[in-house]
Amino acid sequence: MKKSLRSKIVLLIIFSVLSAMSMPLPAAASPITVIIPATQEKAYQIAGEQFAGLWEKVTGYKPAVKVIGPDVAELPSGDLILIGSDAVNPIVHSLIRSGALETLNIRYNSDNYRMLSLQQDGRTCLILAGGTGRSTL
């Protein structure tokens, strides 16, 4: 039941993000990239792939899923879906360090999670973060 509710919430978020990005529904092509952190915890990979699959069901287009490490040099063009908190995702960490985002306001190593969207450098960034990999799912 909880997983079904979370899936419905994610679909609602996808519709909201599409509205914010002024993208037509369904999109023939999309500049969206799902970014997951390079970590040993498989939950982040699963979260990124599941989000991309849900996005495809809504829009007809499956976004690229890219793994990034702490030494990320260049981001893909277009809007980004950032999976993971600043503890594991270096892009989210840099958004907080740069002041673009004050905090995720979650307790780490807990079941807290946060979903938020912000504009940064002319693109929309949707952050899907949890206190652990499990809560990110």
Side-chain angles (χ1 to χ4, degrees), residues 6 41-44 47 83-84 88 110 130-137:
R6 199 171 256 186
E41 192 169 352
K42 190 152 176 76
Y44 299 103
I83 306 292
V88 295
S110 74
T132 63
R134 179 183 72 185
S135 60
T136 301
L137 283 172

Side-chain angles (χ1 to χ4, degrees), residues 12-81:
L12 179 63
I13 290 169
I14 290 171
F15 281 119
S16 299
V17 170
L18 287 172
S19 268
M21 294 176 182
S22 302
M23 292 180 63
L25 236 154
S30 175
I32 305 297
T33 304
V34 178
I35 303 288
I36 58 173
T39 177
Q40 300 251 337
E41 192 169 352
K42 190 152 176 76
Y44 299 103
Q45 178 77 31
I46 293 168
E49 290 172 1
Q50 288 296 313
F51 186 90
L54 288 169
W55 188 277
E56 181 179 27
K57 286 179 183 178
V58 172
T59 67
Y61 175 79
K62 188 168 186 174
V65 177
K66 298 200 183 267
V67 178
I68 57 151
D71 57 344
V72 65
E74 188 175 320
L75 294 175
S77 62
D79 297 323
L80 303 175
I81 309 299

Side-chain angles (χ1 to χ4, degrees), residues 1-17 51 54 113-115 126 128 137:
M1 174 103 154
K2 188 174 182 180
K3 186 174 181 176
S4 174
L5 177 61
R6 199 171 256 186
S7 292
K8 289 177 184 174
I9 291 171
V10 169
L11 286 173
L12 179 63
I13 290 169
I14 290 171
F15 281 119
S16 299
V17 170
F51 186 90
L54 288 169
Y113 65 92
R114 177 101 190 262
M115 297 178 264
L126 175 65
L128 304 174
L137 283 172

Side-chain angles (χ1 to χ4, degrees), residues 121-132:
D121 299 327
R123 69 169 97 205
T124 299
C125 297
L126 175 65
I127 301 171
L128 304 174
T132 63

